[in-house]
Amino acid sequence: MNHPTDRVTDQYTEATVAAVQRTLDGRWHTLRDEIRGRHDFAELRVHPGTDVESYRAAIWEMLQRLADDGHAVHGFPTAVGGRGDIGGSVVSFEMLAFADLSLQVKSGVQWGLFGGAIQALGNSEQHARFLPGVMDLSLPGCFAMTETGHGSDVQSVHTTATYDPGTREFVIDTPTEAARKDYIGNAARDGKMAAVFVQLYSLGERHGVHAVLVPLRGDDGEVLPGVEITDDGHKEGLNGVDNGRLAFHGVRVPRENLLDRHGSVAEDGTYSSSIESENRRFFTMLGALVRGRVSVSGSAVGAASLAQTIAVRYGEARRQFAAPGGEDEIVVLDYLAHQRKLLPGLARTYALRFAQNELVEMLHDVQTTREAGGEVDEKRQRELESRAAGTKALTTWHATATIQACREACGGQGYLSENRLGQLRADTDVFTTFEGDNTVLLQLVAKGLISGYADDFGNLDTLGTVRFVADQVLDTVAERTSLRQLAERLRAVGPGRDEDDVLDRSWQVKLLDDREEHTLDGLVRRLRPARDKSLSPERQFAIFNNAQDHLLRAARSHLDGLVLDAFVRGIDQAVDPSARTLLSKVCDLFALSLIEEDKGWFLEHGRISATRAKTVTAEVNRLCQELRPHARALVEAFGIPEEWIGAPIATGAEDRRQDEARAHAASLH
């Protein structure tokens, strides 16, 4: 007997699914196919319930296998044996989400963060000296930025590196307990060196945050003198990653270990930098490290895709309750409530995949230009940083919500470790707070929307930030390019549907654009009083603090527009007509779901009537039912090979159970 898991879909052929997959895969589709065919990811997975020490050891062995297979070389310079493909390095990292997220994060620490810091902040001699060992794993390392008392506030880290001209060394110290480097991947077990972010001192002057390479362990694995390492212990997830705390007590490292692309210290202690402003130098350094944030965003999309593949497959096989007058039980995905639980989230995963693709392309183009010694446009760099911050926030929040919805949609089966959803949920939970706390990241996005964005922030303490934002609040706000340009493109194509039709893309875009414009204008009005220089600092801060809700809403409104714009461009890239038709329906579901989710705001501000709000909900229901026969096609288009999925409920086991149950019921009659 045929069941949904035995076919691709109804009217959509395998060619259509392949065309959708090709569109989703984007610019690096060839590399994605290469990885799909080269790695048996089913072997890169640790059995649920493995104890922490065994888990860490297994992940280390798997990491070595990846290194031996050349998995790490994509993003590193060709001069040291890499491929010079920065976008490819992010894509190869994303694909590991289908294997084991501890393995993915461990690889990200080694090759993305530790190796990436050397590549982005070091000079060519340091590249030649350290990067080959980073790639082949003979030099396992750590990225030691976060401190116990300073998480998102990197500019205030307290760890110090003081230059000693007499010995031509830096002395690394942890002055307080709050200055310990904390949650550092690779620290507790395997790391031999760390890129440590410090306040740099030379000749009695402080020169701001820099990174220094500090050895942690000798060749025998013993911790070196002056280095203190403690284990962070068992975590809620990602227990294959050996997170630890680092403290330094008079540890001396050679002057040559300073990663000095943006600031160097001569033998006599003289400091020099091509960037005069300390704040601008700091943000230039952080901008060079944006790859990690982009990678986390991609892994969140990958984890959501895997969870939805499992849940949709199970939903097409699981049956529950017979219809009145019938004997056969109903497939649970045929229930509207179940469709509502899964399909709007699936549409959002599609939207975020297209947004992620554009982000990776932007990262690749900007950083490849920089690596080649070219001039990077400051506006483009700022756009990259803002989009990376916002996309990472959206994708990681989405992964958290989606995996939970998928777990619930699979009932008790989703709670079994063998079906992977619980582990996915636990492992991705921390994504919302590492590589930048999501709330802080949305604040960065919102500040970038305010007009008059300065080249140099000035003081970036809390009061300095308040005054900067207040000073930039004028009668206009920054150009909102995404939705406005999309609206212009849609008008250029020609008339769409009736403007009263909620499926008219122009209507959807205009509604979201109106929300963004209104929200930003309202934010300006709330912040403008803080420009009054006669106000006390406490009162200026209170005005800014009281508008935080508005600030975050402005960022979310802007990002929704960016994602919808990316989705529409993704549809335009699809060559196959049936793929374009299917993607357009998914895009409608995404856009209307956004509107439905915030329809209270649209009603409150007179943007839609109560009747129109009901129509939106009715169309979301209709689209869920219309897309239900194609749900399998949509998850197949994620391109996750069968052997990688690994969840019995998604690989035919449920079909067999249902067949047995039906056969047993028939025998009773």
Side-chain angles (χ1 to χ4, degrees):
M1 179 176 182
N2 290 328
H3 295 302
T5 49
D6 297 324
R7 65 180 188 268
V8 173
T9 183
D10 54 335
Q11 72 194 60
Y12 288 105
T13 65
E14 291 187 9
T16 301
V17 176
V20 174
Q21 179 183 316
R22 169 65 181 80
T23 306
L24 282 177
D25 280 353
R27 184 163 154 184
W28 282 270
H29 61 94
T30 301
L31 176 59
R32 290 184 190 275
D33 283 340
E34 176 188 328
I35 294 173
R36 288 178 181 120
R38 189 180 64 197
H39 291 301
D40 183 0
F41 275 31
E43 295 180 6
L44 299 177
R45 190 176 306 131
V46 179
H47 188 275
T50 302
D51 67 89
V52 171
E53 289 308 312
S54 298
Y55 195 0
R56 289 176 174 181
I59 291 297
W60 172 256
E61 291 177 8
M62 292 175 183
L63 193 70
Q64 186 65 67
R65 284 178 55 187
L66 290 177
D68 294 343
D69 288 344
H71 188 85
V73 303
H74 297 286
F76 290 107
T78 56
V80 295
R83 291 187 183 178
D85 184 1
I86 292 170
S89 71
V90 176
V91 167
S92 64
F93 175 81
E94 288 177 9
M95 299 293 282
L96 285 175
F98 303 134
D100 185 293
L101 284 167
S102 282
L103 177 62
Q104 184 190 49
V105 170
K106 182 89 166 177
S107 74
V109 169
Q110 175 66 18
W111 297 313
L113 295 178
F114 177 58
I118 297 172
Q119 181 179 354
L121 304 179
N123 56 50
S124 58
E125 292 181 1
Q126 291 167 331
H127 291 177
R129 180 181 170 193
F130 297 111
L131 289 181
V134 172
M135 288 189 288
D136 68 17
L137 209 58
S138 60
L139 180 60
C142 310
F143 183 84
M145 176 182 281
T146 298
E147 293 183 353
T148 304
H150 306 92
S152 298
D153 187 9
V154 178
Q155 201 170 24
S156 297
V157 296
H158 283 180
T159 303
T160 61
T162 305
Y163 184 64
D164 180 355
T167 61
R168 300 175 184 173
E169 294 172 318
F170 287 101
V171 183
I172 315 299
D173 278 300
T174 302
T176 65
E177 188 171 305
R180 296 177 308 177
K181 297 298 182 180
D182 213 344
Y183 313 111
I184 308 304
N186 262 3
R189 181 183 185 273
D190 297 320
K192 291 184 178 179
M193 178 176 282
V196 182
F197 288 78
V198 298
Q199 297 289 348
L200 184 67
Y201 288 86
S202 182
L203 301 181
E205 293 186 22
R206 188 183 66 84
H207 300 287
V209 177
H210 290 66
V212 180
L213 296 178
V214 182
L216 303 177
R217 293 179 172 90
D219 292 336
D220 58 1
E222 292 298 314
V223 177
L224 295 174
V227 177
E228 179 185 345
I229 302 178
T230 54
D231 197 323
D232 277 321
H234 190 273
K235 307 183 294 291
E236 292 301 311
L238 299 176
N239 280 299
V241 183
D242 51 321
N243 294 89
R245 300 182 184 91
L246 300 175
F248 306 97
H249 308 290
V251 177
R252 289 179 172 268
V253 299
R255 182 180 66 91
E256 291 78 12
N257 280 25
L258 174 68
L259 297 176
D260 63 356
R261 178 173 290 194
H262 301 300
S264 61
V265 175
E267 290 185 3
D268 64 358
T270 303
Y271 179 83
S272 62
S273 174
S274 59
I275 305 173
E276 185 174 344
S277 164
E278 176 186 326
N279 289 318
R280 191 171 184 185
R281 188 164 59 241
F282 172 74
F283 277 95
T284 299
M285 177 189 72
L286 288 190
L289 299 173
V290 73
R291 193 188 311 182
R293 195 165 284 167
V294 176
S295 297
V296 170
S297 178
S299 64
V301 176
S305 302
L306 176 58
Q308 288 167 331
T309 298
I310 295 169
V312 165
R313 284 182 168 208
Y314 181 70
E316 287 205 326
R318 182 75 165 94
R319 293 172 179 267
Q320 188 93 326
F321 304 115
E327 294 183 0
D328 288 341
E329 293 178 302
I330 298 171
V331 174
V332 295
L333 197 54
D334 286 343
Y335 290 106
L336 177 61
H338 207 78
Q339 296 163 15
R340 273 284 197 158
K341 191 173 289 185
L342 294 178
L343 298 187
L346 183 57
R348 186 164 299 196
T349 298
Y350 265 67
L352 291 170
R353 163 52 62 201
F354 286 121
Q356 174 69 13
N357 287 350
E358 290 194 350
L359 179 60
V360 173
E361 290 186 14
M362 185 184 299
L363 171 77
H364 177 84
D365 294 343
V366 168
Q367 293 202 341
T368 299
T369 298
R370 178 182 290 109
E371 289 291 318
E375 190 70 26
V376 175
D377 179 69
E378 284 289 330
K379 183 178 180 181
R380 185 70 168 166
Q381 176 66 36
R382 290 261 171 81
E383 183 184 358
L384 169 62
E385 294 166 17
S386 177
R387 188 169 294 200
T391 304
K392 183 265 179 185
L394 292 188
T395 56
T396 55
W397 270 326
H398 173 66
T400 297
T402 294
I403 296 169
Q404 176 63 24
C406 290
R407 205 295 299 159
E408 293 179 18
C410 294
Q413 294 291 336
Y415 203 61
L416 295 177
S417 296
E418 68 176 4
N419 288 319
R420 303 193 66 185
L421 294 172
Q423 193 66 57
L424 281 173
R425 182 178 55 183
D427 286 345
T428 57
D429 186 52
V430 74
F431 286 9
T432 61
T433 51
F434 76 31
E435 282 295 324
D437 177 276
N438 283 357
T439 300
V440 175
L441 295 182
L442 287 192
Q443 291 177 7
L444 294 177
V445 173
K447 291 170 188 175
L449 296 176
I450 299 172
S451 65
Y453 201 86
D455 287 336
D456 192 331
F457 279 83
N459 293 323
L460 282 177
D461 56 11
T462 302
L463 182 58
T465 301
V466 171
R467 288 174 172 167
F468 164 73
V469 173
D471 285 344
Q472 303 309 316
V473 173
L474 308 176
D475 293 330
T476 59
V477 294
E479 180 183 6
R480 295 174 297 278
T481 59
S482 57
L483 288 170
R484 291 292 165 84
Q485 290 182 357
L486 175 55
E488 290 173 3
R489 292 204 312 273
L490 292 173
R491 283 194 295 270
V493 170
R497 299 169 179 260
D498 187 322
E499 63 179 8
D500 291 330
D501 186 349
V502 298
L503 294 179
D504 179 52
R505 188 83 72 234
S506 297
W507 178 81
Q508 298 165 1
V509 168
K510 183 179 186 304
L511 198 63
L512 294 174
D513 184 52
D514 284 347
R515 181 183 64 170
E516 181 180 346
E517 181 176 14
H518 183 94
T519 304
L520 282 168
D521 288 345
L523 177 63
V524 166
R525 288 192 298 274
R526 290 184 68 176
L527 291 178
R528 188 176 291 122
R531 297 176 64 195
D532 185 349
K533 303 303 183 189
S534 66
L535 294 178
S536 67
E538 292 79 11
R539 181 57 186 153
Q540 285 182 316
F541 174 73
I543 292 171
F544 179 79
N545 194 43
N546 290 338
Q548 287 287 293
D549 60 327
H550 216 136
L551 197 76
L552 298 175
R553 174 174 279 278
R556 288 296 294 260
S557 298
H558 177 69
L559 291 167
D560 285 344
L562 288 177
V563 174
L564 178 58
D565 190 17
F567 202 152
V568 174
R569 273 196 292 271
I571 295 172
D572 292 342
Q573 293 167 7
V575 177
D576 182 84
S578 62
R580 289 171 64 93
T581 299
L582 181 58
L583 286 170
S584 185
K585 291 177 183 178
V586 177
C587 187
D588 280 331
L589 180 56
F590 167 66
L592 293 182
S593 296
L594 284 179
I595 293 167
E596 183 187 42
E597 189 177 75
D598 207 19
K599 67 180 179 181
W601 186 95
F602 292 112
L603 284 165
E604 187 179 286
H605 291 83
R607 293 315 197 264
I608 59 175
S609 65
T611 300
R612 180 60 61 87
K614 292 177 182 178
T615 301
V616 168
T617 295
E619 280 298 323
V620 170
N621 287 343
R622 189 191 64 78
L623 283 166
C624 284
Q625 292 170 327
E626 185 176 346
L627 286 170
R628 182 268 173 269
H630 320 311
R632 179 65 181 267
L634 292 173
V635 297
E636 295 298 299
F638 290 142
I640 307 174
E642 190 71 24
E643 64 272 16
W644 295 5
I645 296 171
I649 56 171
T651 55
E654 181 61 25
D655 281 352
R656 292 188 291 273
R657 280 194 288 264
Q658 294 289 328
D659 284 344
E660 290 170 1
R662 279 189 289 274
H664 176 69
S667 69
L668 296 178
H669 296 288

